[in-house]
Amino acid sequence: MSAAEPPGDGDDQLLVVIDPVARRSDGESVRIAKDVLSAGAHAKICLPDTPEEFARALSRRGARRPVVVGDDHALLRAVAQLHRERELAAGVLSLIPVGAAHALEVAHALGVPRGAVAAARTALDGAVRRLDLLVDDSDGVVLGRLRIPAPPSPPPGSGTPHAGVTAVWDTCRSLVTSLVRPAPVAATTNPGTHRLRIEADGVLLSDLDTPVRDLSVTSQGGGGLADVVVRTGSGEDVTAEAKAVTVSGADFRYRADIQTAGPVRTRTWTVRAGAWGLMLPGPASADAAAGARW
């Protein structure tokens, strides 16, 4: 995270976008946040019911500073849209975290206060902190952590032989398959692993001949670098710091913050230094936010 800086002109003009999930899950916290924000600034309240309405409200914000009331999904939706509009770097976002605990892990790791009152006051009087962003080659965004976990192991009993006519058919099908193409080695010798080629700033960390159980790419928050950890099938960790990470191989899925994407065969993530601004507690309480861990 970079040093704190005061909000820009027009910070008393707010567009408060309240996610429908937040309204359903904790109406009392939503009401408290609205009261605090409206008492401290000129706040326009928007109550979208669909992602499309959420997007339209943000796109029509004008000079108003957006404040999102909701969980990690709502924050990611706002950041992704502003990134697609190429307006993310020019503004600053605020978040009032409302939702289930497991859906607020990204917000709290970023340093957003946990209570509605504290978060609303931070939206009014906090400091802008410029944060790094991981952007992939399909224009997707990651605020904090990317993971490619091990694929699920085959279910128990999946290899149980059949009997009768089914057994004969399975034997014929296996024979034809073996004549057409060889059996995949990774699936038979290393269940629960990937065969991936992983490069960090062009340096090879793992190739297709090394089984990989897990890959994590974690933004450092500021400075333009990400921490890369490759856990091999043998349990060894290969670590690096990088601005760009490229993964390729057989179809794989990945988890970007709290969202799962894929399957894809290749993807590159690049760190954009200071790409977006988030209102966080001021210098007096910034040490706690700076110490957050993914």
Side-chain angles (χ1 to χ4, degrees):
M1 298 181 186
S2 65
E5 57 188 65
D9 294 336
D11 58 288
D12 59 339
Q13 301 286 330
L14 303 179
L15 173 71
V16 182
V17 184
I18 304 176
D19 188 71
V21 176
R23 304 200 301 270
R24 292 193 299 267
S25 65
D26 191 349
E28 180 63 14
S29 291
V30 169
R31 183 192 64 78
I32 292 172
K34 285 168 54 181
D35 290 347
V36 174
L37 293 171
S38 298
H42 300 288
K44 178 180 179 181
I45 309 297
C46 292
L47 304 173
D49 290 320
T50 65
E52 292 75 20
E53 291 180 4
F54 186 100
R56 279 198 298 272
L58 271 182
S59 65
R60 297 172 181 173
R61 66 192 178 279
R64 295 179 181 271
R65 179 161 56 85
V67 179
V68 175
V69 181
D71 58 14
D72 293 341
H73 292 281
L75 176 62
L76 283 164
R77 195 180 306 130
V79 172
Q81 180 182 331
L82 294 175
H83 169 71
R84 287 192 298 269
E85 294 176 355
R86 299 300 184 256
E87 296 185 9
L88 187 60
V92 57
L93 273 169
S94 297
L95 176 71
I96 314 299
V98 177
H102 69 272
L104 295 173
E105 294 177 357
V106 173
H108 296 328
L110 289 170
V112 176
R114 294 178 181 269
V117 173
R121 288 176 176 166
T122 296
L124 294 170
D125 304 320
V128 181
R129 294 183 180 276
R130 305 305 305 183
L131 303 173
D132 294 351
L133 189 70
L134 280 168
V135 180
D136 68 38
D137 47 13
S138 70
D139 229 18
V141 299
V142 184
L143 304 185
R145 190 181 187 198
L146 163 78
R147 284 193 64 213
I148 302 178
S153 300
S158 60
T160 303
H162 297 111
V165 176
T166 303
V168 174
W169 169 245
D170 286 346
T171 300
C172 294
R173 183 171 55 184
S174 298
L175 176 60
V176 172
T177 301
S178 64
L179 293 173
V180 174
R181 65 177 187 274
V185 175
T188 57
T189 61
N190 290 281
T193 61
H194 290 287
R195 296 283 181 160
L196 299 173
R197 180 180 177 89
I198 303 170
E199 299 172 81
D201 287 343
V203 177
L204 184 64
L205 301 184
S206 182
D207 212 342
L208 297 174
D209 58 352
T210 302
V212 171
R213 293 198 181 278
D214 185 87
L215 166 68
S216 70
V217 181
T218 307
S219 170
Q220 295 181 355
L225 291 174
D227 295 317
V228 184
V229 180
V230 180
R231 174 155 294 180
T232 66
S234 63
E236 177 188 2
D237 285 353
V238 181
T239 62
E241 291 184 329
K243 294 181 178 180
V245 177
T246 298
V247 181
S248 56
D251 289 349
F252 62 89
R253 298 182 184 274
Y254 58 91
R255 186 168 179 83
D257 293 318
I258 58 173
Q259 298 177 338
T260 301
V264 296
R265 292 192 173 183
T266 183
R267 185 116 294 168
T268 295
W269 290 269
T270 303
V271 180
R272 302 277 181 88
W276 68 295
L278 181 66
M279 291 290 282
L280 292 176
S285 55
D287 290 343
R293 293 290 182 267
W294 294 98

